[in-house]
Structure formats: C-alpha cells, structure tokens
Amino acid sequence: MSSDKISGAEILLKSLQDLGVDVIFGYPGGAVLPIYDEIYKQENIKHVLVRHEQAAVHAAEGYARSTGKPGVVLVTSGPGATNAVTGLTDAMLDSIPIVCLTGQVPVHLIGSDAFQEADTVGITRHCTKHNYLVRDVDDLSRTIHEAFYVASSGRPGPVVIDIPKNVQIDKSSVIHSGRLEHRSYKPQLKGDMDAIKQAVELIAGAKKPVFYTGGGLINSGTASCQLLREFVRMTGAPITSTLMGLGAYPASDKQFLGMLGMHGTYESNMAMHDCDVMICIGARFDDRVTGRLDAFSPKSKKIHVDIDRSSINKNVRVDVPIVGDAAHVLESMIKIWKSGVHEMDKGALEDWWNEIDGWRERKSLQYKMSDKVIMPQYAIERLYALTKDKKPYITTEVGQHQMWAAQYFGFDEPHQWMTSGGLGTMGYGFPAAIGVQMAHPDALVIDIAGEASIQMNIQELATAMQYDTPVKLFILNNEYMGMVRQWQQLNHGSRYSHSYSESLPDFVKLAEAYGAHGIRCSNPADLDAAIMEMIECDKPVIFDCQVAKLANCFPMVPSGAAHNEMILPDDEEFAEFEGGAALV
C-alpha cells in the first residue's frame, strides 16, 4: 500500500497493470471520462475503441478464449452498460472470464433517475458470475483484484464492477498488489479420491466406453487437454466432444468420433446412446446434446467430472459425480491407471470399435457436390485444407455456417475455435475475431459467418481498420437466415416467414467503403484461388462466398426427438440443382 493518495481512476489503471492486463476493449462516455483521462496518460495498456459495447464484450471473449487470460471491458453508465448485457450473458453461458468495468452516476445521485443512470448491478445480477458496486474509493483496488480472481477461478465467467464517477475522482492511498482471493469463494480443485477410484474401476470394466468432453477442459488449460489425450489413448476408448470442446482432443485422431449433439455425427450420437460407461468431463449435458432427456444414453453408467458443483445432477442424474478441476482429476485417474491394476477388455473394445465402424460407414457428413454452385460444406472443406498449415484461429457467427464449420473444419489444438455455444449470439464472431487478432497479431484469424449474422456487428470493420487487424470475414452467403429457414422447412410446412435476407448490401463495395478488401466468389472452380487471395491479403477482408441457397445442415436431431433419432443426408431426397440453388 502507498502513503500517497491518488485518484480512483489512477488506482484502477495501476491495479490493471499489476494484474497483467495489456488490452482493454471499450467505448467512452461521461461516467467514465476520469478513467479515459488516465488511459490517455499511460502507455502500458492498449485501449481498443469498438463501435458498440456489445462488440466490446465479444472482443474481450475472443481475447480470453484464445489466451486463457481474462478479457477486460470498459463502458460508460446507462446505455453503455445495458448494451454490454448480451455479451455478458454470452460469456456467462460459455464460461468465459471477463471483467467488465462500468461507469455509474455519482453515489449521491444513485436512485434519483439521473442522466444515464441504470441499475447496472440489478440488471447484470443474472448474467454475471458476480458483480460489485464500489461506493468508496478505499475499496476499489481490493475489488478489482478480487474480481479477476472470481472471473478466472473455478468455472470462469464474467464479473461486473460498477464504479460511480465520484469514486473515480476521489483519492485514496489504499492500493493492493499481487493475487487477492475472495474470502468465501474457494473452488474445489482436487476430486474426491474414492470417487476417482470408483470411476477408474468403471472405465476398466466397461465393454462400450465413451468419453464425452466439453469446453470446461479447454477452460481448465492446455495441461488438461494433454492429460485427456494421454488417458484416452491409454484406454483405447472412443471420444466425442460438444461444440464448445472442439480442439481439446485432435479431430484428426482415429479415436475421435466427431462432434455430438443436434448436428453431431451419426457415430458419436449412436455411441453415446449405446455405451455402457460414459465419462463426461467439463460438459454440462446441454439440451442440444441430450435431445429428449428420458431417452438419453439409457444403458450407461455415467461419470461426471466438473469444477462447478451446481452442474452435476442438474440435467442428467449421474452415477459417479466428481467435483474438481479437470487437470487434477485426470492426473489422479492416470496415476491410478498406471499402477498396473487396471486394463481394458481388449476383446470387448474391439467389438465396440467394429460397431462404431459400422455407424461410420453411414458417412453422416456426406453431401452432394455440384460443379455449378458452391456447396457450403465444400467451402468449409477447402478453407480448412488451404489454411490448416497456418494453424488459424476460427471464430463464427451463429447459424448453419457455425455448424458446418464445426463439422468440416478439423481442430487439433485447444484455443483455436471460438464460437457462441450457450446463448447462440448472432454478431459474436466478428468482434471476437478482432479480440483474437489483438492477442495474436501475426496469426491468421478467420470469422466464418452468414450474410445475416455478419450484419449484426458489421460496424466493427471500422475497428478492424483502425487497429490494422487483418481479420478475414468468410461469409457463406445463401441469402437466408439459414438455420431459421431450415427449421421452417422441417417444422412449419416450408413457410419461410421473414427468413429471406432481402436487401443485402454489396459486400465487396461495403468492404471498400471501409477501406478493406472485398472478394466475391460463386463458381466452385474459382474457390481455391479466391481463398488464397483472402489469406495473402494484409488487411481486413470481406469474402462473399455465394453458396447453394437451400442447402440444409445434416445430420440433425429433430426438435423433441431422442439423440439417436437423427435425420441423415441419405434420408432426404436430393433434388437437382436448379438456378444455383441446392434443393435438399
């Protein structure tokens, strides 16, 4: 602590520097001008000016997910804070560590309906892991340090610190440094050894085991992913992943069954349904994975490893619950397994793989090619083939393009895949890509988008240009809100109510208006050359990839169905290509 008194705004900047913050994503306003004045006076922390507060949080999410460090947001009071709510909710559902600093009217005006006043703490209570209203400048430094601990410990999540303007101006000598923990929040890291031993016994005795992994593994860190790979290979068992968990285990590995769930592979969903032991690590049995709960994996004994106690037995009852960090639990499992007592039944495992290979023969990700129109699946396959050696970071918007990216872009490493899973936020991908690029300035960063989603936060092209972040927007343009249209086709008699993207901009001219580079491609024969042009460009690119208009995203578990009741591509009658549209 210092004996010299300094302003709350200066305390804030010193605390952020002490915590290792190097980037803030924000937008100024009256209630945070003292903080912006201090930002102007220093050079240690870079401020990225976004064009909308929602985009600030998504950019911070991209930064956090690609680095493992908390992302930091700074917005003003009232509309600044309320505009950030969508991003905070997105981070909450996907367990992303965010610290959001919001301005507030002076303490003596709180509750008076002052200009740009909003009850930020009340509004964000249900979309944050924790939130604070700092009424005294002496509490500010402690609160900041504590907020970073809460955001990044246990199951990560967003934390809001609401800072009245007078607190930013008032002076104090109370400045903390180093790691500061929350007095009552102590996440359990080490799992119960009796439960871990019971889990290992179940795995060793399994005839049809399957690992089911989620984003919690990636949140736990690279070490967890390495331990997972070691243990899965030791057992020889198949493994599948949620949308959020892609990259924790290599997609190219023969034991990987692909993504599971609503748009997962046939083999992954069937294996989940027929397994006798399920090892769930860092996932929460989301409804997009389970389908109808009463029919979900009915024959299996279920092991669930999660650092969040509230996630266990919340949606699905499990047989062996283990509360703890994935790295600690996996390390214990491997140690017990290596003791030499445990070994899989190789004959049973071989039979299980033969059964899985039969499901794989259905080729659930097949699609009909055309030499006249670009199929969206083909576009993702070619994008992957031409960029994989560069180890790109991929973000997405939300919709069919998101699912095609998950299905056809192979992720072999964690932290390379950033998407909005729990909330499904259209407009997430572009600002998230900017956040990733700020963290990894020399990397190839691509936002796989739809023509509808990309317009949610297209204004961030100005941010990308201002900060020389050469992000690539790869738009699968089918002129529809594709997933909405697909559901309308399957569930609402093909009545496409307001899902057609009318009055689309000319994306090439739009790119040029911002000073970026625009590319348009509609011919499959020209696709590779156009993708290479995008990759080699040294500034932001909008790639308008005009794809088959009515292509559907299969396989698919229909709404209300069990997770093994899937629509596969060969279940649908493929029509001829007419007028550049794939009628499937």
Side-chain angles (χ1 to χ4, degrees), residues 163-178:
I163 311 174
K165 191 169 185 178
N166 68 291
V167 173
Q168 301 167 37
I169 298 169
D170 293 344
K171 294 187 176 183
S172 174
S173 60
V174 182
I175 305 174
H176 294 270
S177 62

Side-chain angles (χ1 to χ4, degrees), residues 14-29:
K14 285 183 177 295
S15 297
L16 294 179
Q17 289 177 37
D18 182 59
L19 289 160
V21 174
D22 55 3
V23 180
I24 296 174
F25 302 92
Y27 201 95

Side-chain angles (χ1 to χ4, degrees), residues 8-299:
E10 193 172 352
I11 289 171
L12 171 63
L13 267 296
K14 285 183 177 295
S15 297
L16 294 179
Q17 289 177 37
D18 182 59
L19 289 160
V21 174
D22 55 3
V23 180
I24 296 174
F25 302 92
Y27 201 95
V32 286
L33 287 185
I35 298 173
Y36 272 88
D37 195 43
E38 288 301 326
I39 289 174
Y40 182 85
K41 297 174 185 177
Q42 58 83 52
E43 296 180 351
N44 295 313
I45 299 176
K46 184 180 183 67
H47 180 277
V48 176
L49 176 67
V50 297
R51 270 49 178 185
H52 192 284
E53 292 89 351
Q54 177 188 346
V57 185
H58 293 328
E61 286 186 275
Y63 176 93
R65 293 173 78 164
S66 65
T67 63
K69 296 166 55 179
V72 182
V73 177
L74 174 60
V75 298
T76 194
S77 63
T82 58
N83 280 348
V85 165
T86 297
L88 292 170
T89 308
D90 189 272
M92 183 68 176
L93 287 175
D94 285 347
S95 305
I96 310 304
I98 298 294
V99 175
C100 181
L101 309 165
T102 61
Q104 185 54 274
V105 300
V107 169
H108 73 277
L109 288 179
I110 291 176
S112 69
D113 294 332
F115 177 66
Q116 289 194 331
E117 180 190 2
D119 179 10
T120 301
V121 168
I123 290 168
T124 63
R125 181 166 288 122
H126 298 291
C127 65
T128 56
K129 188 176 177 182
H130 195 53
N131 59 18
Y132 301 85
L133 172 60
V134 183
R135 291 177 174 271
D136 189 323
V137 68
D138 287 345
D139 297 329
L140 182 58
S141 180
R142 175 189 57 79
T143 301
I144 294 164
H145 281 77
E146 192 175 284
F148 273 78
Y149 168 76
V150 172
S152 57
S153 300
R155 179 179 177 179
V159 176
V160 161
I161 308 175
D162 201 27
I163 311 174
K165 191 169 185 178
N166 68 291
V167 173
Q168 301 167 37
I169 298 169
D170 293 344
K171 294 187 176 183
S172 174
S173 60
V174 182
I175 305 174
H176 294 270
S177 62
R179 182 179 172 88
L180 186 67
E181 298 184 357
H182 191 283
R183 288 186 294 271
S184 61
Y185 180 59
K186 306 289 184 183
Q188 181 177 331
L189 299 180
K190 294 186 177 180
D192 178 76
M193 283 306 298
D194 288 338
I196 292 173
K197 289 175 182 176
Q198 185 182 353
V200 171
E201 292 282 352
L202 266 180
I203 296 167
K207 308 296 183 185
K208 297 181 175 184
V210 67
F211 283 86
Y212 154 36
T213 56
L217 266 161
I218 295 172
N219 289 339
S220 179
T222 304
S224 292
C225 299
Q226 293 301 325
L227 289 166
L228 170 75
R229 295 170 187 211
E230 182 181 353
F231 192 42
V232 169
R233 287 164 181 159
M234 286 167 58
T235 64
I239 178 171
T240 181
S241 169
T242 67
L243 176 73
M244 298 300 296
L246 294 174
Y249 193 87
S252 59
D253 192 273
K254 63 182 180 181
Q255 287 175 246
F256 188 62
L257 304 182
M259 183 177 69
L260 81 161
M262 178 171 283
H263 292 285
T265 64
Y266 184 64
E267 53 267 29
S268 65
N269 281 334
M270 293 303 294
M272 184 68 81
H273 186 268
D274 284 7
C275 70
D276 64 350
V277 174
M278 175 200 302
I279 309 102
C280 175
I281 307 175
R284 57 189 175 88
F285 295 98
D286 180 76
D287 64 285
R288 285 297 192 264
V289 164
T290 63
R292 204 175 72 240
L293 278 173
D294 62 358
F296 176 67
S297 194
K299 308 167 189 175

